[in-house]
Amino acid sequence: MVRSAGTQQRPGPPKTGAADPRAADQRPGRRWRGRLPILLLAPLALFYGVFLFGPVISSFLTSVQARADGSLSGAHYRHLLTEPFYLEVLWRTVRISLIVLILCMLIGFPLARLLVATTGARSRYLRIVIILPVIVSHAIIGYGWMVVLGSTGLVNSALQGTGLTSSPVRLLFTEAAIVIGCVYTYVPFMALSIETSLRAIDPAILRAARDLGAPPRQVTRRIVVPLSLPGIIAGSALVLALVMSTFAMPAFLGGSGNRVMATLIHQNAVQLNEGQRAAALAVILLAGTAVLLVGYQAVLRRVGPGSTRGAR
Amino acid sequence: MSTHRWSRPVRSLGRLAFIAVFALFVLAPVVVILLGSLTTVSYISFPPEGMTLDWYRQVLARDAYLRGFRTSTTVALWATALSMAIGVPAAAWLAQRRGTTARFVGDLVLLPLALPTVLLGLAVLQWVSTIDLPRGIPTLVAGHTLLTTPFVIRLVHSSLIGIDPKLEHAARDLGCGPVRGFFIITLPLAKTGLLAGAILAFLISFGEVTMSVFLTTPRQTTLPVFIYAQVSESLSPSVSALAALMVIPVVLAVIVVEVIAGFSRIRLGGGDLR
């Protein structure tokens, strides 16, 4: 039987260090599988260097330039962090993010449980339905919801057709519309993230709880939720970050009266030709998102262990 | 699952109701676009009044729409090709290693997804004048590639680490060199990941809007940005027709790719690129 020295290099059981008759063959250069050249990363390094780090660093620098002469100045930040208009936009962005997060958790958790519980063809259909909002263009989603929520759209036609209202209800160009659009777009991320955690739960634990007489609701509250917390936290971080910087939903569904950071950045950069201010806004958005994520994780860490206190 | 026999049918009914409501929720915007594009009146309404394919005829005839389609397709093809060229070698390298460097590189790969897309769009917009890259299609390709490369790397990497190492060892034992081995053994075995990566990259680029609104020019606009522009100015059911034409292939592609590669299982959390 032929054994190749390359066996040790593949992902698998760690090297035990025991005597290996082929040890002499472990010299670099003798195995072709061991180390593919770092040259393979060159295209990635080059591309990211030129089109990721270059632009981002350059924008950071742009944001600290004074408008008049390009000298170093924090004037833009001072302006943006003190003017009520900008603070209102920032607060609106945070507010929407938190509301969407809560809704995504409420909808995403049952969805995740369903994903784990269903099998076969039904599971496939469910998966396709869940992944749809992720793949379809945000422009199409935004436009579609405009038609659903508009004054001559689906919801209003249904409301008026069944006689519940006599004149169109204003649903479009509101914060609620943005929230609906965002939940639509981002709940799959939450659901799939929680699903991963749920699948990692040992079914023996659930069976044991049931055998000991725990009713389903208690099993969920005391065991399933705490054990799926990693997935909930990861999904939450993802959703928060995505909603904070979302552009399409507010652009299509919010109108000019409900600006969020992303649409404001776009307006400043493209319509108002305020490149420096746009860059500063983008940095504030990044920093704000980071603060929100850190704060959220801190809160969860305090709440998380508490809910398992009774289960031990 | 429950200890109470009578609650089992109730549970399934509850489950079914939840799935039904959620499916309706997900399909609502798609359905209204499809049905609304058939209306005979010149404003957007639902339910549609009458049925006509006129709006589709308009879409397929008007210059602006065709130019948008051409731009979107060109950008998507280039972005896909570029991200595959960048991503496949990188994924191959990552599939070989497990150390801290590999972990670091794996996380770095995801950086474009971790940063706000508006920031990327703005940054690239402000940067291209510095490096003298023409606005429009070249810039769009660059921006889209930033967004598609992480997905390509993830999918190809998943595929590569799933390959049985014994196959590669057998090739080596039979005297096959490393490079040749990679091309005639490893890559064909990673077919699923490569195909899924390419399709996903194309779909992402074709539908991308957030970064694209920064990078388009009046002459070279992508379809999603075109829809956004139309929405602000002159809304007509022809936009619905355009959206319908865009969404149908995407839905079909989702079904196909989910069936062959199950990409809803991509985990975007850290710890997988190891």
Side-chain angles (χ1 to χ4, degrees), chain A residues 45-186:
Chain A
L46 188 64
F47 185 76
Y48 272 30
V50 174
F51 287 107
L52 181 60
F53 293 105
V56 173
I57 294 174
S58 168
S59 282
F60 273 118
L61 294 174
T62 307
S63 71
V64 289
Q65 280 179 341
R67 188 175 311 171
D69 54 1
S71 63
L72 216 61
S73 153
H76 289 292
Y77 288 99
R78 255 196 307 277
H79 180 62
L80 295 172
L81 293 171
T82 52
E83 280 289 311
F85 171 72
Y86 296 105
L87 292 174
E88 172 66 46
V89 170
L90 184 60
W91 170 231
R92 180 178 298 121
T93 313
V94 172
R95 188 170 59 228
I96 291 178
S97 303
L98 291 172
I99 296 175
V100 171
L101 174 65
I102 294 173
L103 289 173
C104 279
M105 285 198 280
L106 292 175
I107 301 177
F109 192 80
L111 266 181
R113 298 204 72 180
L114 272 172
L115 275 171
V116 174
T118 54
T119 50
R122 227 179 325 164
S123 154
R124 182 145 280 161
Y125 297 145
L126 183 61
R127 211 169 275 282
I128 289 175
V129 164
I130 288 182
I131 204 116
L132 212 58
V134 179
I135 305 299
V136 175
S137 169
H138 287 194
I140 296 188
I141 297 176
Y143 177 70
W145 278 103
M146 286 183 80
V147 182
V148 172
L149 298 173
S151 49
T152 52
L154 174 65
V155 173
N156 270 307
S157 299
L159 287 176
Q160 288 178 270
T162 57
L164 283 167
T165 56
S166 52
S167 61
V169 177
R170 169 112 181 277
L171 295 164
L172 194 54
F173 303 134
T174 61
E175 224 170 271
I178 300 179
V179 168
I180 294 174
C182 286
V183 170
Y184 181 93
T185 315
Y186 297 121

Side-chain angles (χ1 to χ4, degrees), chain A residues 19-43:
Chain A
D20 177 3
R22 291 275 187 276
D25 276 315
Q26 305 283 323
R27 288 194 305 276
R30 284 300 227 112
R31 357 171 244 274
W32 68 270
R33 242 351 221 172
R35 307 285 143 190
L36 286 183
I38 198 119
L39 209 62
L40 288 177
L41 288 184

Side-chain angles (χ1 to χ4, degrees), chain A residues 8 13-21 23 26:
Chain A
Q8 298 280 328
K15 273 201 234 202
T16 55
D20 177 3
Q26 305 283 323

